[in-house]
């Protein structure tokens, strides 16, 4: 399984930059990450067809490594999502 060797939060570009152990570099916009939150509350909303609008200006304030993934903390107060590495790798 691919795991990251570097994570960088770029507030200037509004994206999380990930360098994977196979050399691939990935950039994911903060708004994309927030909109794709894998927490149970957000997944249920998506399954029920509710689309919560995410501000294009949402900011990733911090990230906390969890071994199998990373917890992302956003400036809108949302911090429940832990993004597994495979899930992040699949996001475009």
């Amino acid at each position: 399984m691919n795991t990251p060797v570097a994570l960088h939060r770029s507030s200037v570009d509004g994206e999380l930059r990930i360098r994977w152990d196979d050399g691939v570099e990935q950039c994911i916009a903060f708004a994309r990450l927030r909109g794709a939150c894998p927490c149970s509350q957000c997944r249920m909303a998506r399954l029920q067809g509710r689309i919560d609008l995410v501000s294009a200006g949402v900011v990733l304030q911090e990230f906390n490594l969890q071994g199998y993934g990373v917890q992302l903390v956003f400036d809108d107060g949302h911090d429940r999502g832990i993004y597994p590495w495979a899930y992040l790798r699949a996001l475009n």
Side-chain angles (χ1 to χ4, degrees):
M1 179 176 103
N2 289 325
T3 55
V5 294
L7 290 169
H8 175 72
R9 178 178 55 92
S10 174
S11 294
V12 172
D13 297 323
E15 61 190 18
L16 178 67
R17 295 179 183 161
I18 307 167
R19 188 167 23 124
W20 297 94
D21 59 1
D22 62 358
V24 171
E25 293 193 22
Q26 182 179 20
C27 297
I28 308 171
F30 295 159
R32 172 72 173 119
L33 289 166
R34 177 63 181 88
C37 177
C39 80
S40 60
Q41 181 181 355
C42 291
R43 279 188 296 134
M44 181 59 70
R46 287 191 299 271
L47 288 171
Q48 293 175 344
R50 292 191 345 246
I51 299 173
D52 296 330
L53 295 179
V54 175
S55 167
V58 71
V59 174
L60 176 63
Q61 290 184 316
E62 64 182 87
F63 57 83
N64 303 302
L65 300 178
Q66 301 295 320
Y68 67 94
V70 62
Q71 174 196 25
L72 301 181
V73 179
F74 295 94
D75 69 344
D76 65 358
H78 195 72
D79 63 358
R80 291 182 297 276
I82 297 178
Y83 296 67
W85 300 131
Y87 185 78
L88 274 178
R89 181 69 185 251
L91 285 178
N92 295 330

